[in-house]
Amino acid sequence: MPVWDLLFVNANIATMCRDQGVYGIVENAALAVTNGEISWIGSEVALPHRNANQVIDTEKQWLTPALIDCHTHLIFGGDRALEFERRLNGVSYAQIAQEGGGIRSTVEATRTATKGQLFNSAQIRIQRLMQEGVATIEVKSGYGLDRDTELTMLEVGRELNNKLEADVVTTFLGAHSIPVEYHTKSDEYLHLVINDVLPVVHDHDLADAIDAYCEHIAFSAEQVRKLFEAATNLDLPVKLHADQLSQCGGAELAASFNALSADHLEYTNTSGVEALAESGTIAVLLPGPFLVLNEKQLPPIDALRDYDVPIAIATDCNPGSSPLCSLRMAMNLACNMFQLTPEECLAGVTRNAAIALGLANDRGTLELGKRADIALWNILHPRELTYWAGVNQLAQLYIKGHLI
């Protein structure tokens, strides 16, 4: 008879498996872990034995998949509190960017920061997310906008993954903005990204995916297409900041490359949603910048539902448009501003977030064979995880079966 490493009993479980109903609820349940994976799950009365190195009586607490923040920019230097104040005094985000602020001001601070400074500040943000039950975090480059700093940011991301308990997934976002030195030469800068930086990123395994900002203040659809063609030739998956400030065909572009995700989507039209549905691309909604930028154009929530496009939720943690380092708060905002249901939000930071990172084969739901990334919550029902803001009900977080 096998001995399990860890056994949870007297539990309520929200598996978040799509084919198991709302939340995938299993009450009066048990879950066993062996070698960092889920080796048994189901009703406790069907449990074949209780031989385990450690047995935890949860006392009817709830187990869910550990949370996943699938879109962040949390490696950066400096801050942009002054710009936040300016926006509240009526200056638009686009105007600040045109004046050399916005992403460019963070670029200057990031270029002058040491590798250690970038690591230490990002580590604090990741630990804050982990305290809320987050076990997998995506981080993007994009605040270097030159060869060396972009590579440094990705190296910091890999170092964070190696030294912290959480999984840190890195994304190369060299096409985030046009640096000052290429102000009127965006094609030349993109040539640098594609020909000088991308091959090094690939050869040194510094990124798990490639991203770009498709918008009138950044790069056109045709420019992004060139980058994505180069990434595809290197077998690197892509994702896209799409249609945040205007309808620029971003969703359709992402779908045409079978992107992992298309993110923001406030101005995406029905044809864009249909393209996402056909390609299987995840829609990542970001309520943080919607709130901070005081946006009015809602993402096409009804169309995404009608076309059965899976929706993920993320913090978009960054120093400018989303100084938000709470995935639980992002869930609450998505309910209140986007009218998502609590179940849609929890799916958006577990099952669908895993798909958005290409990791659904081993995490995002609680089922046999998947990683034992598990959050134990002191709640009466999973809906509370979206309902409360500023109250952390996390009792324990397990990553690969180890208590964090």
Side-chain angles (χ1 to χ4, degrees):
M1 184 178 296
V3 177
W4 291 314
D5 295 332
L6 178 63
L7 176 63
F8 297 94
V9 297
N10 195 24
N12 293 312
I13 299 178
T15 69
M16 299 312 296
C17 295
R18 187 170 184 176
D19 61 354
Q20 294 180 5
V22 177
Y23 296 104
I25 288 176
V26 183
E27 297 181 305
N28 303 311
L31 184 151
V33 176
T34 306
N35 296 326
E37 295 182 351
I38 297 172
S39 50
W40 197 92
I41 184 171
S43 175
E44 187 172 350
V45 298
L47 189 65
H49 64 84
R50 291 174 176 259
N51 294 333
N53 294 325
Q54 183 180 11
V55 178
I56 297 176
D57 183 346
T58 72
E59 299 180 348
K60 300 300 183 186
Q61 291 180 316
W62 282 83
L63 300 175
T64 74
L67 308 186
I68 299 169
D69 195 349
C70 65
H71 180 133
T72 84
H73 305 253
L74 55 72
I75 298 175
F76 59 85
D79 72 65
R80 279 150 60 186
L82 175 59
E83 294 178 13
F84 173 70
E85 187 173 51
R86 289 189 68 199
R87 288 199 304 272
L88 292 174
N89 283 314
V91 183
S92 71
Y93 182 76
Q95 181 178 341
I96 290 172
Q98 290 168 358
E99 294 172 356
I103 292 171
R104 292 179 182 176
S105 64
T106 298
V107 168
E108 182 177 354
T110 302
R111 287 178 176 179
T112 58
T114 67
K115 201 171 187 177
Q117 288 171 331
L118 293 175
F119 178 94
N120 291 335
S121 61
Q123 177 180 229
I124 292 170
R125 299 175 191 114
I126 289 173
Q127 289 172 335
R128 177 68 183 88
L129 290 166
M130 291 173 64
Q131 289 168 5
E132 290 191 341
V134 179
T136 302
I137 299 144
E138 185 258 20
V139 296
K140 304 178 191 294
S141 67
Y143 289 133
L145 304 186
D146 62 21
R147 181 186 183 278
D148 291 345
T149 315
E150 285 293 308
L151 295 175
T152 295
M153 293 184 70
L154 294 171
E155 289 167 356
V156 169
R158 289 303 198 215
E159 187 177 353
L160 288 162
N161 181 63
N162 292 334
K163 293 186 176 181
L164 301 182
E165 298 93 340
D167 264 14
V168 177
V169 178
T170 58
T171 298
F172 174 45
L173 181 58
H176 192 194
S177 183
I178 303 165
V180 173
E181 57 268 32
Y182 287 89
H183 177 56
T184 59
K185 300 177 290 185
S186 62
D187 285 337
E188 287 187 30
Y189 174 66
L190 194 65
H191 183 274
L192 171 74
V193 170
I194 293 172
N195 294 283
D196 292 355
V197 190
L198 182 61
V200 179
V201 170
H202 172 263
D203 292 345
H204 292 268
D205 189 29
L206 291 177
D208 302 295
I210 307 302
D211 197 351
Y213 189 21
C214 185
E215 194 54 73
H216 62 275
I217 61 172
F219 297 93
S220 70
E222 283 309 306
Q223 288 175 315
V224 173
R225 183 178 298 279
K226 294 177 183 177
L227 172 63
F228 281 6
E229 287 172 350
T232 300
N233 288 336
L234 295 173
D235 292 324
L236 285 167
V238 300
K239 56 183 68 177
L240 185 65
H241 288 61
D243 305 332
Q244 179 188 10
L245 305 176
S246 63
Q247 211 302 311
C248 55
E252 292 94 329
L253 175 62
S256 71
F257 283 90
N258 296 311
L260 291 172
S261 70
D263 304 28
H264 288 290
L265 302 177
E266 281 86 340
Y267 285 85
T268 297
N269 58 24
T270 302
S271 64
V273 172
E274 185 175 6
L276 296 178
E278 292 175 354
S279 67
T281 299
I282 299 292
V284 179
L285 303 187
L286 304 169
F290 192 92
L291 173 70
V292 173
L293 299 181
N294 196 28
E295 296 183 26
K296 305 300 182 185
Q297 176 75 28
L298 288 167
I301 304 296
D302 290 340
L304 292 171
R305 288 170 174 154
D306 290 343
Y307 283 90
D308 200 25
V309 176
I311 297 171
I313 304 295
T315 62
D316 194 16
C317 177
N318 74 74
S321 63
S322 188
L324 174 65
C325 201
S326 169
L327 191 55
R328 292 281 309 283
M329 186 64 192
M331 295 164 65
N332 180 276
L333 291 174
C335 278
N336 284 296
M337 295 192 305
F338 297 162
Q339 297 300 297
L340 295 185
T341 68
E343 196 273 341
E344 286 175 321
C345 286
L346 188 54
V349 298
T350 55
R351 179 180 71 235
N352 293 340
I355 301 171
L357 295 179
L359 298 175
N361 63 315
D362 74 348
R363 70 196 76 180
T365 57
L366 298 181
E367 52 187 313
L368 282 176
K370 289 205 171 180
R371 279 175 36 145
D373 288 0
I374 300 167
L376 176 63
W377 306 95
N378 185 20
I379 55 177
L380 297 177
H381 192 277
R383 67 174 67 94
E384 294 178 40
L385 299 177
T386 303
Y387 171 65
W388 283 103
V391 177
N392 189 4
Q393 304 101 321
L394 182 70
Q396 294 177 335
L397 174 64
Y398 294 83
I399 299 179
K400 296 182 181 178
H402 297 291
L403 177 62
I404 304 304

